[in-house]
Amino acid sequence: MFNTDTLDRAAGLAEGTGRAGRLSALNPQVCHTPPPHHLHVKPDPARDWTAKPPWATRPLWGWSSLERAAGSVGRERTQEGNKRTWLRQKTLASLGKEEHLSRRRNLAETRQVLFSLNSSHRGLTQLGRRLETPRQRRPSRGAGTRTRDYNSRGASGEPGERSRPLIGGAAGRRGAGLCTCARRGRMAALGSFVAVRGAPGPWRWAVCAAGGLRGRHPGRGYAAGPAQSPPTFGFLLDIDGVLVRGHRVIPAAQEAFRRLLNSQGQLRVPVVFVTNAGNILQHGKAQELSALLGFKVEPDQVILSHSPMKLFSQYHKRRMLVSGQGPLVENARVLGFENVVTVDELRTAFPVLDMVDLQRRPKTTPVPRNDFPAIEGVLLLGEPVRWETSLQLIMDVLLSNGNPGTGLATAPYPHLPVLASNMDLLWMAEAKMPRFGHGTFLLCLETIYRKMTGKELRYEGLMGKPSILTYQYAEELIRQQAERRGWAAPIQNLYAVGDNPMSDVYGANLFHQYLQMAKQGGAQELVVGGLWRQRPSATQSCASILVCTGVYSPETLAPTEPAEGGEEPPFHGHRDFCFSPGLMEASHIVNDVDEAVQLVFHKEGWAL
């Protein structure tokens, strides 16, 4: 009985050499080769083999049609071959009419696929050769003969670049890659793809494999482009004014991340989000960015303004007064501080300290408390809600050396340690004009302390941009991210994208200046709380890119340009960072973050 071994033999078309070899693989009778051994079936003596059924009046397998399609080989069948054909017909007739017709249709479809593939193989081979080698324009062969220029433009649109032939995948099956081939090769190839699509399921893979066609799955031979080399650069992206404004995503940010993500939704280069916001948990900010940007942002990709406070381990066991809003206690414990007191808890313990709001003043004089433990430091994580209450109670703690229920004749100096984050004087939300930031609150506290004591308020640590410590912390996270992704090449160049010249540009340029000094041996490694850099830094530069979607606007006066009358321009930076016009000049100024990504990819030689 006829089985699929004959079809397996037909699938050997791809390995056949020459026209005769391919046809003999399809039809053993063409070259007078004996049929497979399993076709020698002894007839049943009880059956009348002389009766010819009406549905078998024509050759069962239609070899003559195959011969015509293949070019009319022109060899007549011998009498011996006809006898073998008749014996096959009689043998298969015993299977029953329905099963016989079903097998006949399946084999006919498979044979048509193989024949179409045979014809298209030559067309695709010619197409590949034309796309691999620029074809010169041939001279005209006579009237009405036209020549065709097969040179094409690449993805970048530049002349001379040639696009890769698409011989597989969805584009190949639709015939999209056949637009530039010659007419004969185009029609043959298109016919083969239609035939492959119509082939039975088990045979589609075998036919594609025999003809060298590719599947749709990357792991099964998808024709992809050249592998991208490991990145040697990374991004430090600001959030407010660069990616979002309030709760609204800037459209350019979505376009930028379409370039930064690969087909699996993973970042092509290491990216860290560096923001001076601090009134939110780190994993909460990561979830917020994931929802806004449309891809998974890990918590260790987000650097809040107070994140580097993890390095100040010498203060983690002290009793600290924490100021700000949001999840203050949770944030402080994540940073490592084990014993914290909020401003509201201090006000509840000493209600007479808060006297500004008439509605909150105590109606009676409470009994003074002597059992309240002394406070040993101040932690400023972000702008509070009631500035007057926070300013008053922080001053009480500093002037009383941590015992606000008592009074001292003279204020101690140096005062208790103060750790602060987020020095932004202004920040950009949905409003047309910038809003007050935590830097404004710090300015109020510094001014009040100097006015009352005649001395400057001192900080044990200032975190957030433009602090060098924040950029060193970001550099370490960039390196760890590259290691987790398996990128062996060291990250040498960092690109900081921001909207605030006083924090983003100033900080990136200050860190770049530090890197250049460290390269020449003139800078010392920052040591904080016993922390030291365990390996030498591979970073060589940090370029600043200023966007026009936030605080900075090209229509306003540049921070380094003199005002009218030759006066010195206002400096919006923190008191402890000196005014330096060179540090506030961005390496590049672009419209938005999408242009910034395109600029960096162009500088690094990466495809967009």
Side-chain angles (χ1 to χ4, degrees), residues 48-110:
D48 183 12
W49 291 95
T50 60
K52 190 172 183 180
W55 45 267
T57 56
R58 291 182 303 173
L60 181 62
W61 301 110
W63 297 111
S64 59
S65 63
L66 175 61
E67 293 171 359
R68 289 195 300 271
S72 298
V73 179
R75 296 187 178 185
E76 299 181 355
R77 298 175 182 174
T78 62
Q79 183 177 4
E80 181 182 357
N82 290 334
K83 291 181 179 180
R84 286 199 297 266
T85 303
W86 179 252
L87 179 61
R88 261 197 319 273
Q89 293 175 349
K90 291 296 183 179
T91 303
L92 293 176
S94 63
L95 298 176
K97 181 176 179 179
E98 295 299 330
E99 183 178 0
H100 172 67
L101 291 177
S102 175
R103 294 196 177 195
R104 176 181 176 178
R105 285 192 298 268
N106 290 341
L107 189 58
E109 291 177 358
T110 305

Side-chain angles (χ1 to χ4, degrees), residues 507-518:
N509 291 339
L510 185 64
F511 184 58
H512 177 77
Q513 188 180 78
Y514 169 81
L515 292 174
Q516 303 308 309
M517 294 176 61

Side-chain angles (χ1 to χ4, degrees), residues 127 131 148 150 166 171 174-183 186:
L127 171 63
L131 293 178
R148 196 182 295 244
Y150 293 93
L166 296 178
R174 289 191 298 266
L178 306 176
C179 298
T180 60
C181 67
R183 188 171 188 176
R186 177 171 65 246

Side-chain angles (χ1 to χ4, degrees), residues 66 68 77 112 118 137 142 176 269 283 285 297 332 350 403 540 545 556:
L66 175 61
R68 289 195 300 271
R77 298 175 182 174
Q112 181 182 2
N118 178 30
R137 189 179 296 272
V269 298
H283 67 83
K285 193 66 174 179
V297 177
F350 301 96
N403 297 284
Q540 300 179 359
I545 303 178
T556 60

Side-chain angles (χ1 to χ4, degrees), residues 402-442:
N403 297 284
T406 62
L408 298 178
T410 58
Y413 198 83
H415 52 71
L416 295 175
V418 178
L419 300 176
S421 63
N422 186 359
M423 297 165 276
D424 284 349
L425 186 74
L426 304 169
W427 69 287
M428 202 68 187
E430 291 93 344
K432 300 298 182 181
M433 298 181 64
R435 304 292 90 191
F436 289 153
H438 192 222
T440 306
F441 179 82
L442 297 180

Side-chain angles (χ1 to χ4, degrees), residues 29 58 164 220 281 316 465 474 510 540 584 589:
Q29 300 176 15
R58 291 182 303 173
R164 294 170 55 86
R220 300 179 185 176
L281 291 172
H316 287 173
K465 298 173 292 188
L510 185 64
Q540 300 179 359
M584 289 184 291
I589 299 179

